[in-house]
């Protein structure tokens, strides 16, 4: 049996070991404070002279030339450099403007085949002319050509992840902000809001097109330490997609949701 004196000695020994480990971890694993923005644009046919205006992070933490740091990839994961990206002033305020002369899209689908119990038996990518006449136990879903857009910005200070609107860089333009219930709360530090923003798309096409600005996701986090001293907190925001079909183009209102205050706020001093 281990005596109380032996337990005390063991505890002191562990403290002597762990304190230097924590200190070393801060040297080799410095704190990480960063923002991340992702979205995508998809089309089921080739369009030309395409211009998009998208909500984008704004504030003191966002570089004036942030648009030059965008990563844009096609369906195959190839980085694209032919898109023109810039931050411009609109009637709604500063926004991200993306322009591309030609955006290739394919009218393709995913054909799902199900067993009688509902489990998936097969998933096949097909063209419009390959759709089977008999769709028993089958389901068709569009699989347009998708272009991914991403941006990330690191900063040298804590980001306010509990109340980011007005206190940290956030998506702009922004309107109709109101508090809401958190569907999935971590703990008492969680707080949620609803908001609205806008996006726009214009393009030329000789055929019917379905062009979609997919969900825009924006998040920020503070992370520091390593192993036993590791800790983090974060916020996440997202918008509804904007779907342009039946010849409709122009401005579209997007609904957004912000979930803030997730993580620890009693972590080690940094």
């Amino acid at each position: 049996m281990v005596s109380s004196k032996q337990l005390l000695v063991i505890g002191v020994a562990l403290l002597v070991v762990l304190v230097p480990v924590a200190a070393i971890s801060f040297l080799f694993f410095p704190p990480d404070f960063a923002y991340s923005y992702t979205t995508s644009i998809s089309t089921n046919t080739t369009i030309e002279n395409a211009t998009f205006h998208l909500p984008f992070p704004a504030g003191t933490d966002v570089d004036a030339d942030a648009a030059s740091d965008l990563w844009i990839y096609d369906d195959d994961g190839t980085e694209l450099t032919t898109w023109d990206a810039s931050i411009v002033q609109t009637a709604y305020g500063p926004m991200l403007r993306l322009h591309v002369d030609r955006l290739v899209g394919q009218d393709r689908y995913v054909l799902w085949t199900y067993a009688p119990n509902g489990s998936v038996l097969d998933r096949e990518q097909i063209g419009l002319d390959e759709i089977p006449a008999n769709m028993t136990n089958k389901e068709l879903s569009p699989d347009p050509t998708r272009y991914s857009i991403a941006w990330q910005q690191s900063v040298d200070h804590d980001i306010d992840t509990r109340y980011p609107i007005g206190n940290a860089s956030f998506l702009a333009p922004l309107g109709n902000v109101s508090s809401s219930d958190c569907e999935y709360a971590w703990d008492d530090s969680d707080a949620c809001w609803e908001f609205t923003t806008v996006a726009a798309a214009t393009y030329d096409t000789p055929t019917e097109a379905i062009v979609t600005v997919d969900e825009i996701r924006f998040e920020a986090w503070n992370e520091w330490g390593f192993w036993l001293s590791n800790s983090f907190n974060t916020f996440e925001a997202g918008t509804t997609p904007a779907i342009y079909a039946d010849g409709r183009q122009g401005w579209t209102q997007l609904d957004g949701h912000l979930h803030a205050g997730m993580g620890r706020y009693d972590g080690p001093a940094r």
Side-chain angles (χ1 to χ4, degrees):
M1 180 179 293
V2 180
S3 68
S4 58
K5 183 176 180 179
Q6 288 173 315
L7 287 174
L8 178 60
V9 171
I10 292 171
V12 171
L14 284 173
L15 183 61
V16 170
V17 171
L18 291 178
V19 168
V21 168
I24 291 172
S25 72
F26 271 65
L27 291 175
F28 292 98
F29 301 92
D32 181 30
F33 314 117
Y35 296 91
S36 173
Y37 172 95
T38 57
T39 188
S40 57
I41 293 170
S42 61
T43 177
N44 71 329
T45 190
T46 297
I47 60 177
E48 297 182 343
N49 191 30
T51 301
F52 303 92
H53 287 85
L54 306 180
F56 196 73
T60 57
D61 285 339
V62 180
D63 294 339
D65 61 346
S68 64
D69 295 327
L70 286 177
W71 302 320
I72 303 175
Y73 295 90
D74 66 12
D75 250 0
D76 298 321
T78 302
E79 185 173 7
L80 304 177
T81 58
T82 55
W83 292 44
D84 177 54
S86 59
I87 304 298
V88 300
Q89 287 292 331
T90 71
Y92 299 94
M95 298 184 70
L96 173 63
R97 179 186 183 273
L98 298 171
H99 177 81
V100 59
D101 291 335
R102 189 168 187 265
L103 201 59
V104 175
Q106 299 181 56
D107 193 10
R108 61 191 183 189
Y109 302 83
V110 172
L111 181 66
W112 301 86
T113 303
Y114 298 94
N117 65 1
S119 62
V120 176
L121 292 177
D122 189 34
R123 177 190 184 279
E124 181 184 7
Q125 188 181 75
I126 63 173
L128 183 64
D129 57 349
E130 299 175 282
I131 299 175
N134 184 359
M135 290 291 291
T136 303
N137 296 329
K138 299 181 184 296
E139 185 178 76
L140 204 64
S141 62
D143 186 28
T145 306
R146 180 165 280 103
Y147 296 86
S148 301
I149 301 155
W151 169 88
Q152 186 168 310
Q153 175 75 52
S154 294
V155 296
D156 60 0
H157 58 84
D158 284 34
I159 299 168
D160 190 334
T161 60
R162 297 188 74 172
Y163 306 102
I165 296 178
N167 298 309
S169 294
F170 199 72
L171 289 175
L174 191 66
N176 303 315
V177 179
S178 61
S179 61
S180 65
D181 294 331
C182 293
E183 185 175 1
Y184 303 104
W186 288 37
D187 52 39
D188 293 340
S189 67
D190 289 46
C192 293
W193 288 269
E194 306 292 336
F195 61 89
T196 60
T197 184
V198 291
T202 59
Y203 49 87
D204 300 325
T205 177
T207 59
E208 186 65 38
I210 301 175
V211 177
T212 303
V213 175
D214 296 308
E215 177 190 20
I216 295 170
R217 292 192 59 81
F218 179 56
E219 60 185 311
W221 61 86
N222 303 306
E223 186 174 13
W224 59 93
F226 177 71
W227 194 33
L228 295 180
S229 63
N230 185 58
S231 191
F232 81 98
N233 53 65
T234 183
F235 74 70
E236 297 178 352
T239 71
T240 53
I243 301 173
Y244 296 90
D246 300 324
R248 187 178 71 85
Q249 298 186 30
W251 292 100
T252 300
Q253 179 174 297
L254 310 179
D255 295 325
H257 178 75
L258 165 64
H259 190 159
M262 295 182 287
R264 287 184 56 192
Y265 290 88
D266 59 350
R270 303 180 292 291

